[in-house]
């Protein structure tokens, strides 16, 4: 169980909060010119997260993020997300 604890270690695994902040910053930068549509699997490498992590964080951000409007847009083999500045 110690592998899943969030104690302060050598920074090997970022906390969920830092992952969320990193994703939010990425989305804010990409959406500065207007709407952004994407699938998690296509931005995973750029953000340094797995597609599954991005999907889970997008649900959280859609409820808590005040500077971005986040909407689950469609589902065709993977969820497409729509993001724009609030």
């Amino acid at each position: 169980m110690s592998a899943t604890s969030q104690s302060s270690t050598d920074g090997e695994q970022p906390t969920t909060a830092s992952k969320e902040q990193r994703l939010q910053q990425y989305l804010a930068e990409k959406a500065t010119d207007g709407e952004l549509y994407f699938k998690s699997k296509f931005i995973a490498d750029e953000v340094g997260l797995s597609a599954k992590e991005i999907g889970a964080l997008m649900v959280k951000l859609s409820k808590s993020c005040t500077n971005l409007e986040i909407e689950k847009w469609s589902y065709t083999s993977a969820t497409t997300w729509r993001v724009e500045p609030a």
Side-chain angles (χ1 to χ4, degrees), residues 21-83:
Q21 290 169 347
R22 188 167 68 221
L23 179 58
Q24 184 176 349
Q25 181 179 1
Y26 172 86
L27 295 173
E29 289 173 8
K30 294 293 184 177
T32 54
D33 294 332
E35 292 178 323
L36 166 69
Y37 294 86
F38 71 93
K39 292 184 186 230
S40 300
K41 63 184 178 183
F42 296 128
I43 68 163
D45 287 338
E46 291 180 57
V47 183
L49 300 170
S50 71
K52 187 175 182 178
E53 287 176 310
I54 293 171
L57 290 171
M58 289 302 292
V59 172
K60 286 179 67 176
L61 285 174
S62 69
K63 297 175 184 174
S64 65
C65 187
T66 58
N67 65 328
L68 295 171
E69 187 176 313
I70 299 171
E71 181 181 0
K72 197 178 222 181
W73 190 252
S74 70
Y75 186 88
T76 312
S77 75
T79 301
T80 299
W81 295 94
R82 180 185 150 291
V83 178

